[in-house]
Amino acid sequence: YFGSKPLALVMIQYRCTMLCTEEMNVLMASLKELKFTPGKEFNLVIVSIDPREDAELAMGKKISYLAEYGRPEAAAGWHWLTGGKNEIDKLAASIGYHYVYDPKTDQYAHPDGVVLITPEGKIARYFFRLEYPARDLRLGLIEASRNRIGTPLDAIALLCYHYNPITGRYALQVMGLVRGASAAMVLGICA
């Protein structure tokens, strides 16, 4: 899934009726608002953290979410994966994702989140906090692609907005704007 496009990675339990369902609802709302489409500008990979879940369940989820998404062309770039415990553990460890199985509830305790990864396989951004604003996803995907996707206006926006790893969001860089306005004022006075 690497090579030419950035990748958005989400790790959930497909059968979960609590956090994972809400996480996917929030992600779907952002994806619908986002002008980028999986398969065109980026790849989207949803991985089950439950080794008991199989490809048939994953395919059912993919069909259901694609129907809700309403962009059939996304099918080629939206992947729903399952795997064995060792493979899931290796992937989770490689992105710093921790989860624990709770036998009482038959569910996994884990963080929510979307991880953006460069085409070369390096982590570019983490979005946690059960909110993934479309603007932030767009800016993160543009940065992860090294400006190979997006518009010239997006490049300008990235000069004004910077990712805050504490909040997990893009925020307006106020000092950058103040410096820019000051430089413009000095140039205006000189002119």
Side-chain angles (χ1 to χ4, degrees):
Y1 303 111
F2 297 110
S4 62
K5 300 174 188 159
L7 178 115
L9 174 66
V10 179
M11 296 187 76
I12 61 171
Q13 181 183 21
Y14 295 160
R15 295 179 301 114
C16 175
T17 58
M18 299 170 71
L19 175 65
C20 300
T21 301
E22 183 59 25
E23 182 176 352
M24 288 305 298
N25 290 340
V26 171
L27 180 60
M28 281 300 294
S30 292
L31 288 174
K32 288 177 184 177
E33 188 180 328
L34 184 66
K35 301 298 183 214
F36 293 158
T37 301
K40 289 184 178 178
E41 293 86 4
F42 70 105
N43 286 314
L44 176 57
V45 176
I46 314 293
V47 178
S48 171
I49 58 176
D50 187 342
R52 301 168 301 171
E53 296 179 338
D54 59 18
E56 184 178 335
L57 176 60
M59 183 55 73
K61 289 287 186 181
K62 179 176 181 171
I63 291 168
S64 172
Y65 279 98
L66 278 172
E68 180 185 341
Y69 186 48
R71 297 184 205 171
E73 67 274 19
W78 194 343
H79 311 280
W80 292 73
L81 306 178
T82 60
K85 183 171 178 8
N86 288 339
E87 291 79 20
I88 296 167
D89 287 347
K90 284 179 188 175
L91 175 61
S94 73
I95 64 167
Y97 184 90
H98 303 282
Y99 63 98
V100 177
Y101 178 68
D102 179 8
K104 287 182 185 178
T105 62
D106 191 30
Q107 303 280 310
Y108 284 82
H110 62 89
D112 71 291
V114 176
V115 181
L116 299 183
I117 304 172
T118 68
E120 298 79 30
K122 297 186 188 274
I123 295 173
R125 296 282 174 257
Y126 291 97
F127 291 100
F128 293 119
R129 299 186 138 192
L130 204 55
E131 59 177 325
Y132 323 114
R135 181 201 69 190
D136 290 357
L137 286 176
R138 180 180 179 88
L139 293 175
L141 287 166
I142 291 167
E143 280 189 325
S145 75
R146 291 186 174 72
N147 292 320
R148 287 185 224 140
I149 61 175
T151 66
L153 289 177
D154 291 323
I156 292 169
L158 282 170
L159 295 174
C160 300
Y161 287 90
H162 290 274
Y163 182 76
N164 182 335
I166 295 169
T167 64
R169 297 186 64 156
Y170 281 83
L172 190 61
Q173 184 188 23
V174 175
M175 282 309 295
L177 288 176
V178 169
R179 286 183 190 114
S182 298
M185 190 165 84
V186 168
L187 288 174
I189 291 172
C190 290

